């Protein structure tokens, strides 16, 4: 299956699984998706992730274990893809966005790898705004 925007596909899979309270969701693996999963885990939006290889499939997957609150409230309230293949959005270090007044995170692709908006601000880096998570 060919996907034009793999990051948007990953975010849609997470959003759909989160809406119906699935415990985990599988997404096709790539380096950038592994880094996004790492950032989501560090920020507390998912419990964990691991690489799963199925001998029936030609590619490996990343299994994301979604996190919910004590009374089944969703930790991930929303996901939005910002920079798309048809329109890339770049920001300088002085113009980094604050998601939901600082309650969410923005994933930024910088020259030093993927960073959250707060990490990029501390390092003085700008880059491409991949997505917002709140």
């Amino acid at each position: 299956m060919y996907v034009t925007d793999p990051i948007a596909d990953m975010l849609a899979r997470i959003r759909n699984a989160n809406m119906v309270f699935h415990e985990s969701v599988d997404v096709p693996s790539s380096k950038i998706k592994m880094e996004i999963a790492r950032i989501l885990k560090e920020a507390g939006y998912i419990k964990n992730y691991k690489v799963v290889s199925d001998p029936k499939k030609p590619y490996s997957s990343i299994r994301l274990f979604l996190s919910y609150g004590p009374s089944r409230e969703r930790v991930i309230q929303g996901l939005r893809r910002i920079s798309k293949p048809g329109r890339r959005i770049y920001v300088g270090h002085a113009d980094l966005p604050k998601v939901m007044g600082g309650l969410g995170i923005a994933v930024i692709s910088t020259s030093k790898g993927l960073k959250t908006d707060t990490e990029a601000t501390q390092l003085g880096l700008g880059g491409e705004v991949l997505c917002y998570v709140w």
Side-chain angles (χ1 to χ4, degrees), residues 1 6 9-18 22-30 33 37 48-54 57 59-66:
M1 176 176 81
D9 178 61
M10 175 186 183
L11 297 177
R13 287 177 190 229
I14 294 171
R15 185 181 308 114
N16 291 340
N18 190 42
H22 282 227
E23 293 300 317
S24 66
V25 61
D26 289 350
V27 296
S29 179
S30 73
K33 291 179 192 177
N48 205 352
Y49 65 95
K50 69 176 182 176
V51 177
V52 179
S53 59
D54 187 4
K57 294 182 181 178
Y59 56 87
S60 61
S61 311
I62 304 170
R63 182 164 293 155
L64 303 168
F65 298 97
L66 302 179

Side-chain angles (χ1 to χ4, degrees), residues 11 15 20 31 37-38 50 56 64 66 75 77 86-87 90 97 100 105 117 119 132:
L11 297 177
R15 185 181 308 114
V20 292
K31 290 180 184 178
R38 179 189 59 81
K50 69 176 182 176
K56 298 175 188 170
L64 303 168
L66 302 179
V75 173
Q77 297 294 319
R87 182 173 182 197
Y90 296 98
M100 301 291 285
I105 62 169
D117 53 344
E119 292 172 339
Y132 292 163

Side-chain angles (χ1 to χ4, degrees), residues 89-97 107-117 119-130:
I89 307 295
Y90 296 98
V91 295
H93 69 89
D95 301 324
L96 287 168
V107 179
I108 314 289
S109 176
T110 69
S111 58
K112 307 272 187 195
L114 291 189
K115 306 283 182 197
T116 63
D117 53 344
E119 292 172 339
T121 302
Q122 291 170 354
L123 296 172
L125 297 171
E128 182 181 358
V129 182
L130 296 181

